[in-house]
């Protein structure tokens, strides 16, 4: 193995794989290092894969990527203790030749992606943890130190694709420590059922059709958080995630929250008889635009979750990871072609590419949402409860006239927020954060 | 609503039983540096909220950690970074949790 590379990529999740793949395809001499037994063995996702970001890197990925189902129906649930009020969108138009969203199992998907990276010519070493970065006297990053024998490895650029809990960048003081209110702690289980049972329970015609459910309300027990339930081919992924700071404050056990969600009367029948084959936990960056650290410096750049690139409102992360990885790769390819060094100044190219892409545009659009939700728990507690109560009042036929019912419903909504003023203020707050 | 019986013991064991681990015997990657003044609220909260139930209160009333079932989420590291009570590193390359599905 050569001991000097054009680039070293730390991490083989979607951001690192996208970055290493694009650079290797362009002929760069790339070394990628992952601490897992195989790429994916440390990684967790819901998981919905957004095709567009991957298609821009590997156009024919559908030919052999391990995809579970493509999403033809999305359900949104507002949960109260015994009910849910929902909206759903299902369309046969999602049964297209090149579907837009798929469910995947990350450990398997990452393994596949990594095979493409190696086929493109990158060198991968697994079971190896990067311990530290090497800097020269001027403070420029010039390589990495790992827990393997063999000494330091040098490169023109080090790409930190180490994920949300990446400690290399933090320990080298390239990025600050993460705050507990800038991450959600999520737990998830993979529950197995026969393929036909999944289809029947979710009203699916084809073996490849899938349903995903996003859940707000009592699922987070008053914390800022959400739940999800996704259909895979022969399994269901179910999970719940809330701000780490909220868990620390409430001392609610994450698995107890997940158990409660699984036992909810709207959920339990969907899971009946399923066999649990894995229980996982992972953090999700949720701080949004204001939590993004410095992204570049002399000899280094950050991609993916390590840069807090997650759009929590739309539950998108892997696509931001792949896109930032690709843009970093394109930057390093261009700098090499122009014979320029990798410095804070020349990496402006990467920062500009990011600013021009949906990654930064979307994070900027929702900049105010994380703070808004943290300061306004009623969106997770009061509203879902009130809406469910109102629905029940609306539907139950019990001899009370409709006008009285409507009046009571409206009073219930207003009362929950200390009068109509509270409700109107909430609507404005939400609308402003969404703009 | 917290189910206290679920934290450690048989139920947690059952939950983690399906997971694959390669434990680096004798090299725990999470250790506690007990502070003389007693355990911080953050450290104590981990006996409830570590998703793998790795923390418990010992007989002397101090918080203890056995990170064999750790899923390497990093929550305990982040919550105690201000107090410095926990020393946290990734397990040696190849060791630790091995997700099959993720
Ligand atoms: C429960 C959950 C549900 C989610 N649902 C969705 C979803 O439905 N759709 C979506 O798009 N996104 C979702 N996300 C977010 C998505 O998973 C992330 O945005 C994405 O994985 C980020 O990719 P990454 O490559 O930046 O980081 P990661 O996937 O975390 O990869 C980091 C890699 O770096 C390696 N590594 C770290 N440190 C070192 C080191 N020191 N030495 C060597 N290797 C190292 C790790 O082993 C790992 O392979 C979800 C996340 C969670 C936790
Ligand atoms: S990293 Fe996560 S799972 Fe491991 S001990 Fe800390 S809180 Fe528990």
């Amino acid at each position: 193995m050569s001991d000097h590379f054009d680039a070293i990529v730390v991490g083989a999740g979607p951001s690192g794989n996208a970055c290493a793949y694009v650079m290797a395809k362009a002929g760069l001499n790339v070394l990628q290092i992952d601490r897992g037994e195989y790429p994916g063995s440390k990684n967790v996702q819901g998981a919905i894969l957004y095709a567009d970001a991957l298609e821009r890197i590997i156009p024919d990925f559908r030919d052999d990527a391990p995809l579970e189902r493509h999403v033809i129906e999305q359900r949104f649930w507002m949960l109260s203790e015994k009910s849910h009020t929902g909206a759903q969108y299902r369309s046969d138009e999602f049964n297209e030749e090149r579907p837009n969203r798929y469910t995947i199992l990350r450990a398997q998907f990452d393994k596949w992606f990594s095979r493409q990276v190696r086929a493109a010519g990158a060198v991968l070493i697994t079971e190896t943890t990067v311990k530290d970065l090497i800097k020269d006297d001027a403070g420029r990053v010039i390589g990495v130190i790992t827990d393997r024998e063999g000494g330091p490895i040098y490169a023109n650029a080090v790409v930190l694709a180490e994920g949300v809990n990446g400690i290399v960048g933090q320990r080298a003081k390239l990025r600050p420590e993460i705050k507990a209110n800038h991450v959600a702690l999520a737990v998830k289980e993979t529950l197995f059922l026969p393929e036909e049972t999944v289809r029947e329970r979710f009203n699916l015609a084809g073996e490849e059709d899938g349903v995903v459910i996003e859940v707000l309300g009592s699922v987070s027990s008053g914390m800022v958080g959400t739940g999800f339930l996704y259909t895979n081919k022969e399994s269901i992924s179910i999970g719940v995630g809330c701000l780490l700071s909220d868990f620390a404050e409430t001392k609610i056990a994450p698995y107890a929250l997940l158990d409660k969600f699984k036992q909810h009367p709207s959920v339990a029948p969907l899971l009946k008889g399923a066999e649990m084959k894995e229980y996982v936990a992972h953090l999700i960056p949720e701080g949004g635009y204001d939590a993004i650290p410095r992204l570049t410096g002399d000899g280094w750049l950050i991609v993916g979750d390590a840069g807090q690139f997650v759009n929590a409102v739309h539950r998108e992360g892997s696509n931001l990871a792949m896109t930032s990885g690709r843009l970093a790769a394109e930057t390093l390819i261009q700098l090499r072609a122009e014979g320029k060094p990798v410095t804070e100044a020349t990496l402006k190219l990467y920062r500009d590419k990011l600013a021009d892409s949906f990654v930064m545009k979307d994070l900027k659009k929702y900049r105010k949402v994380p703070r808004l939700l943290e300061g306004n728990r009623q969106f997770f507690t009061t509203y879902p409860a009130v809406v469910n109560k109102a629905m029940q009042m609306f539907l139950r036929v019990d001899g009370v006239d409709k006008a009285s019912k409507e009046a009571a419903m409206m009073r219930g909504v207003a009362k929950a927020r200390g009068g109509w003023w509270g409700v109107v203020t909430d609507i404005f707050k939400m609308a402003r954060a969404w703009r | 609503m917290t189910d206290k019986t679920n934290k450690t013991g048989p139920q947690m064991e059952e939950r983690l039983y399906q997971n694959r681990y390669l434990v680096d015997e004798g090299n725990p990657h999470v250790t506690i540096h007990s502070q003389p003044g007693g355990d911080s609220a953050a450290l104590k909260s981990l006996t409830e909220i570590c998703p793998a139930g790795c923390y418990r209160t010992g007989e002397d009333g101090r918080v203890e950690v056995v990170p064999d079932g750790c899923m390497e989420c990093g929550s305990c590291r982040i919550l105690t970074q201000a107090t410095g009570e926990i020393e946290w590193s990734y397990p040696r390359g190849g060791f630790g949790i091995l997700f099959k599905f993720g």
Side-chain angles (χ1 to χ4, degrees), chain A residues 11-182:
Chain A
S15 66
N17 282 337
C19 188
Y21 179 88
V22 173
M23 287 193 293
K25 269 269 177 210
L28 267 63
N29 185 10
V30 178
L31 174 69
Q32 190 181 29
I33 305 173
D34 198 276
R35 64 190 193 84
E37 182 186 62
Y38 50 83
S41 64
K42 301 290 184 183
N43 301 344
V44 173
Q45 190 172 324
I48 300 176
L49 170 78
Y50 304 96
D52 177 75
L54 181 55
E55 210 163 7
R56 286 168 197 260
I57 299 164
I58 305 181
D60 54 1
F61 77 89
R62 292 178 180 84
D63 293 350
D64 57 359
L67 306 168
E68 292 291 314
R69 292 173 182 268
H70 63 255
V71 182
I72 63 155
E73 179 178 329
Q74 170 99 42
R75 302 180 188 168
F76 301 96
W77 284 4
M78 264 198 274
L79 212 65
S80 69
E81 294 297 332
K82 291 213 162 82
S83 331
H84 79 264
T85 306
Q88 64 197 59
Y89 181 73
R90 181 186 182 114
S91 175
D92 194 40
E93 279 165 357
F94 285 134
N95 279 315
E96 54 209 327
E97 208 182 314
R98 303 164 82 78
N100 184 255
R101 300 189 299 158
Y102 295 89
T103 52
I104 54 167
L105 300 170
R106 264 297 293 282
Q108 294 171 9
F109 176 82
D110 285 8
K111 229 193 239 176
W112 167 84
F113 201 166
S114 176
R115 278 201 300 276
Q116 317 307 309
V117 174
R118 275 171 289 155
V123 178
L124 168 74
I125 47 177
T126 53
E127 299 191 305
T128 304
T129 303
V130 171
K131 300 295 278 184
D132 211 348
L133 299 175
I134 311 170
K135 294 182 185 170
D136 67 11
D137 294 341
R140 180 194 161 78
V141 171
I142 53 169
V144 302
I145 295 169
T146 73
D147 63 354
R148 283 265 179 126
E149 283 167 22
I153 315 170
Y154 298 97
N156 292 339
V158 174
V159 181
L160 290 171
E162 53 176 344
V164 55
N165 184 35
I167 50 183
V168 177
Q170 289 180 19
R171 295 205 169 147
K173 306 249 181 296
L174 303 183
R175 58 182 184 129
E177 291 277 13
I178 296 176
K179 296 195 180 78
N181 64 344
H182 285 171

Side-chain angles (χ1 to χ4, degrees), chain A residues 407-421:
Chain A
M409 269 159 60
M410 297 308 261
R411 273 198 310 275
V413 174
K415 200 171 131 221
R417 290 294 298 140
W420 281 106
W421 185 243

Side-chain angles (χ1 to χ4, degrees), chain A residues 185-339:
Chain A
L185 168 58
V187 289
K188 173 190 148 180
E189 285 179 3
T190 312
L191 305 167
F192 279 74
L193 283 168
E195 192 280 321
E196 320 80 72
T197 311
V198 175
R199 232 185 304 160
E200 279 160 19
R201 285 190 190 169
F202 292 87
N203 188 24
L204 298 167
E207 252 179 64
E208 313 213 317
D209 303 359
V211 170
V212 293
I213 311 178
E214 305 289 349
V215 186
L216 191 85
S218 67
V219 67
S220 66
S221 286
M223 298 185 277
V224 173
T226 53
F228 63 88
L229 189 159
Y230 301 157
T231 55
N232 305 315
K233 197 143 274 170
E234 297 185 307
S235 64
I236 289 172
S237 296
I238 183 165
V240 50
C242 304
L243 286 184
L244 179 58
S245 47
D246 280 1
F247 274 122
E249 199 175 308
T250 59
K251 300 193 179 58
I252 292 172
Y255 40 84
L257 203 62
L258 181 56
D259 282 345
K260 194 178 151 204
F261 182 31
K262 285 167 64 184
Q263 285 151 15
H264 189 281
S266 299
V267 176
L270 298 172
L271 308 179
K272 191 168 163 252
E275 189 189 350
M276 199 268 272
K277 292 208 178 162
E278 191 169 70
Y279 164 66
V280 307
H282 203 279
L283 296 176
I284 311 177
E286 300 252 329
Y289 189 82
D290 291 329
I292 297 173
R294 185 179 155 195
L295 297 170
T296 57
D298 292 344
W300 62 271
L301 55 169
I302 288 177
V303 296
D305 273 11
Q308 285 266 341
F309 300 149
V310 167
N311 178 343
V313 174
H314 287 262
R315 319 294 307 148
E316 294 175 27
S318 60
N319 53 331
L320 282 72
M322 287 184 210
T323 303
S324 58
R326 172 172 63 84
L327 297 176
E330 288 170 1
T331 302
L332 294 175
I333 293 166
Q334 188 176 333
L335 292 182
R336 183 166 172 271
E338 293 170 357

Side-chain angles (χ1 to χ4, degrees), chain A residues 413-431:
Chain A
V413 174
K415 200 171 131 221
R417 290 294 298 140
W420 281 106
W421 185 243
V423 177
V424 172
T425 315
D426 285 345
I427 293 170
F428 266 102
K429 276 191 212 156
M430 207 39 139

